Amino acid sequence: MKPQSPLSVVLRAIRGQMASLLLLSLLANLLLLTSSIYMLQVFDRVLASGSVGTLTWLSVIAAAALVAFGLLELARRRMLARIGSWTEAELAPEVMSRSLAQRLKDGRADADVSDIADIRSFYSGEALLAFLDAPWTPVFLLVIWLMHPLLGTIAVGAALLLFAIAVLNDVLTRAPLAETAGEVRRNRSDAGVYMEHADTLSALGMIGGTTRRWHRQMQALEQRSSAAQGLSIFLLSASRSLRMVVQVAILGTGAWLVLQNELTAGGMIAASIILSRALAPVERALTAWRSYGSYRRARRRLEALFRAQPDGERRIELPRPEGHLEVNGLRYHAPGSGEPILKSLSFRLPAGKTLAIIGPSGSGKSSLCRCLVGAWTPSFGVVRLDGADLSEWDSDSRGRYLGYLPQTVRLFSGTIAENIARLGEPEDMAVLDAARRCGTHEMILALPEGYETRTGPYSDLLSGGQKQRIAMARALYGDPAVVALDEPDSNLDGNGEMALAAMMKDLRERGRTVIFVSHAPALLRHADLVMVLKDGAIARFGPRDEILTAMMKNSASPERKVVEARG
């Protein structure tokens, strides 16, 4: 039998709680009749008999019933709040990991953790309570019908009309609101990107233009959704007006029936109160429908995500690799466009060797680095580490044996120590060892809070070179067998370049496999092998001296060739 996804398991568990919630809702709604029954008895019994004892006992019973209602309502709301919290706790890590995996694979993700927030909001908010109360509306209508068929006819007609308004609201507004909701999410995501790169926008004088452009986009989205929102507001107002009209109609009809001796005064008042209880869930469902729409869209996105990124099979944990890399027929196509970036690359890199990747801009150097460390999955072909396909490794297990310095360095929210420890629990000696090996230890100690200095996307404390060197320490954390460095010298000053050279020597002495991309000829002296990429294909590959000699022979200007090899 096909195993169920974590999403299916969670939703099935929630459905299993619905029976208890429905029972609590039934009891709570029955107790809502307390005030109506109390009013009926006071008017028809107490006032007619003048019995203080009857009034006292009726009041005690009514108070006890209302206390019981309050406890049941508290139980319902706490149960829903816990369901919402449990749902987020169970699904958020799964959605985060699958969203990241799909974004790496396809360049986008069907869902993210904001969809979990929509799911939780529906379960723990007023929307689900309205839907749980709605099934008991017929019970109230039946009570009114038993009091008098004419009153029951008015009540049933009003309930059907309110339900029709709710259906009409959904049919007319669902599509336009769903369409604009996705675009609003993307526009808000763009705003986060603008905030993260505020320094670039400011330096280029782009803040005003960017703000105006973003605001125009939001206004356009608002205009597209305003018609649907206006219609929804109109229908909601109409439903409230209708409810008030029906309340008056019930009272007026009840008064006429009292005059005809077909109903008591207590029955007239009780019917009006019961009707308000009967129509309240229907009216609340109108306002809850939008929350349900968000829940439904979020659930569809999550289901698409879990289909696109199913549970991986449990794999045997492989031993620490020596660092032998083998690439066979590697091709990588850009997600979405399908444009080829890497074209049928095949080569071997023995353990303990250092490979320099050079070539013109756009030749695929950074893309190859990402494929070699498993950040990107090849469209075709395979990358093997010690004979095992990288995809056969669990991502976290594989990551312990790989170090990676991306071309664009990002430090995440946390301390420097936590960033070096890859956001895991920092092992003090491992953090210090990684920092010392790349010459970053003294630089970190010179900071006001040392290793406890906070970092993150909005941190202005660290320079680009400092972030680069901290990211180097992160790449070396845990003494990985394979280290990939994408332009490691791009932001370094003289001291940083000396520390980088010392790090490269240290890696070589430890017998680690190193791949680096660099435009600096000085770094090539650390390489055993050189690969020249051009238009996503291997133009040259072999021992360093052999490749450099061949390049110099084929060029009238060796200096120019080195310049062209930058990137």
Side-chain angles (χ1 to χ4, degrees):
M1 185 175 66
K2 183 179 179 180
Q4 291 186 318
S5 70
L7 177 63
S8 300
V9 172
V10 168
L11 293 178
R12 185 179 62 181
I14 293 174
R15 287 195 297 270
Q17 300 298 314
M18 286 299 110
S20 300
L21 285 168
L22 286 171
L23 178 60
L24 291 176
S25 299
L26 170 62
L27 297 175
N29 278 275
L30 289 177
L31 289 173
L32 275 175
L33 293 171
T34 298
S35 58
S36 302
I37 296 173
Y38 180 76
M39 189 72 67
L40 180 64
Q41 295 301 315
V42 167
F43 269 84
D44 294 346
R45 236 179 240 280
V46 174
L47 295 183
S49 65
S51 173
V52 175
T54 301
L55 176 62
T56 301
W57 280 109
L58 282 174
S59 299
V60 170
I61 293 171
L66 292 176
V67 169
F69 166 77
L71 293 175
L72 288 172
E73 188 70 5
L74 175 64
R76 278 203 312 169
R77 291 180 180 275
R78 291 190 64 178
M79 190 173 178
L80 288 173
R82 289 182 178 180
I83 287 175
S85 300
W86 177 78
T87 300
E88 186 169 33
E90 290 293 313
L91 289 181
E94 295 286 344
V95 170
M96 172 72 83
S97 62
R98 283 170 167 77
S99 179
L100 291 172
Q102 189 182 26
R103 190 173 294 277
L104 287 172
K105 179 181 177 182
D106 302 329
R108 61 174 183 82
D110 289 313
D112 55 36
V113 290
S114 64
D115 293 300
I116 300 295
D118 290 339
I119 297 287
R120 175 177 180 171
S121 176
F122 174 74
Y123 282 132
S124 58
E126 290 292 325
L128 187 55
L129 279 175
F131 293 132
L132 287 171
D133 289 338
W136 313 117
T137 292
V139 176
F140 295 120
L141 297 179
L142 177 61
V143 172
I144 296 174
W145 190 284
L146 292 176
M147 296 177 72
H148 198 281
L150 181 57
L151 297 179
T153 301
I154 295 173
V156 170
L160 291 175
L161 190 54
L162 285 175
F163 180 75
I165 291 175
V167 172
L168 184 64
N169 183 28
D170 179 59
V171 170
L172 296 180
T173 64
R174 181 201 310 171
L177 289 178
E179 181 183 350
T180 56
E183 296 186 24
V184 167
R185 285 162 61 95
R186 287 191 292 272
N187 213 34
R188 288 174 178 169
S189 177
D190 289 343
V193 174
Y194 297 148
M195 292 290 292
E196 185 173 347
H197 297 283
D199 52 349
T200 301
L201 297 179
S202 176
L204 297 176
M206 294 172 61
I207 290 181
T210 301
T211 303
R212 288 189 294 272
R213 180 176 180 272
W214 181 83
H215 183 58
R216 284 196 302 269
Q217 291 173 338
M218 286 298 294
Q219 283 184 318
L221 292 173
E222 181 64 28
Q223 290 173 359
R224 288 169 55 186
S225 64
S226 61
Q229 290 176 343
L231 178 59
S232 180
I233 292 171
F234 169 77
L235 293 174
L236 180 61
S237 300
S239 68
R240 290 180 176 174
S241 298
L242 174 64
R243 182 179 171 185
M244 295 176 66
V245 169
V246 174
Q247 288 289 140
V248 172
I250 282 287
L251 277 174
T253 304
W256 180 79
L257 292 174
V258 171
L259 295 176
Q260 301 299 315
N261 293 320
E262 296 184 27
L263 188 70
T264 64
M268 175 189 70
I269 301 299
S272 176
I273 296 174
I274 295 173
L275 179 66
S276 66
R277 304 297 187 197
L279 298 184
V282 180
E283 185 179 359
R284 284 164 57 203
L286 281 170
T287 58
W289 204 261
R290 183 173 298 178
S291 177
Y292 175 67
S294 298
Y295 160 80
R296 187 170 50 191
R297 290 189 293 271
R299 178 171 170 172
R300 280 201 298 264
R301 287 192 292 265
L302 289 171
E303 288 171 345
L305 174 66
F306 277 80
R307 283 195 302 270
Q309 296 293 322
D311 290 331
E313 297 180 359
R314 185 183 179 278
R315 301 181 183 276
I316 295 177
E317 185 169 347
L318 298 174
R320 177 185 173 89
E322 295 181 4
H324 177 75
L325 283 172
E326 182 178 353
V327 178
N328 293 317
L330 170 62
R331 285 190 284 169
Y332 182 78
H333 297 172
S337 67
E339 191 72 21
I341 297 176
L342 299 174
K343 306 170 185 176
S344 299
L345 275 61
S346 297
F347 63 93
R348 291 184 179 183
L349 181 60
K353 297 297 183 179
T354 300
L355 170 66
I357 304 174
I358 62 176
S361 297
S363 59
K365 302 184 297 297
S366 295
S367 300
L368 177 56
C369 267
R370 293 186 179 103
C371 290
L372 292 178
V373 295
W376 286 359
T377 302
S379 303
F380 301 95
V382 64
V383 178
R384 296 186 181 278
L385 176 60
D386 281 22
D389 188 337
L390 284 184
S391 62
E392 294 181 10
W393 297 72
D394 174 73
S395 175
D396 289 348
S397 297
R398 183 185 64 219
R400 291 201 300 267
Y401 308 126
L402 299 176
Y404 176 53
L405 176 71
Q407 188 176 42
T408 302
V409 171
R410 291 286 179 88
L411 297 182
F412 305 102
S413 297
T415 65
I416 288 179
E418 289 169 339
N419 270 270
I420 293 176
R422 305 182 181 185
L423 298 187
E425 187 65 31
E427 297 180 15
D428 294 347
M429 296 308 298
V431 169
L432 294 173
D433 178 64
R436 288 192 177 106
R437 287 174 56 196
C438 62
T440 309
H441 177 67
E442 289 76 13
M443 182 206 78
I444 295 174
L445 292 181
L447 296 172
E449 297 181 73
Y451 282 90
E452 301 306 314
T453 301
R454 304 293 300 183
T455 63
Y458 306 115
S459 174
D460 296 322
L461 178 63
L462 301 175
S463 68
Q466 289 174 317
K467 293 176 182 178
Q468 183 95 351
R469 295 175 68 181
I470 292 170
M472 285 183 190
R474 180 173 63 191
L476 298 185
Y477 182 76
D479 193 18
V482 178
V483 179
L485 309 170
D486 193 351
E487 298 200 19
D489 55 345
S490 58
N491 290 308
L492 300 182
D493 55 13
N495 291 333
E497 289 177 352
M498 291 171 55
L500 174 60
M503 183 188 79
M504 298 291 287
K505 181 181 178 182
D506 172 74
L507 290 170
R508 188 185 188 92
E509 291 173 350
R510 289 171 179 258
R512 303 297 177 248
T513 304
V514 181
I515 306 105
F516 69 88
V517 175
S518 179
H519 60 264
L523 274 183
L524 294 180
R525 71 175 183 270
H526 299 287
D528 300 302
L529 301 167
V530 173
M531 176 185 294
V532 181
L533 285 182
K534 185 176 181 181
D535 296 328
I538 297 177
R540 296 178 184 274
F541 176 74
R544 178 196 60 194
D545 294 340
E546 179 182 317
I547 295 299
L548 294 181
T549 300
M551 290 174 63
M552 293 175 66
K553 287 181 179 180
N554 293 334
S555 173
S557 174
E559 294 80 9
R560 179 181 177 185
K561 197 67 178 180
V562 171
V563 172
E564 291 177 350
R566 294 180 179 179

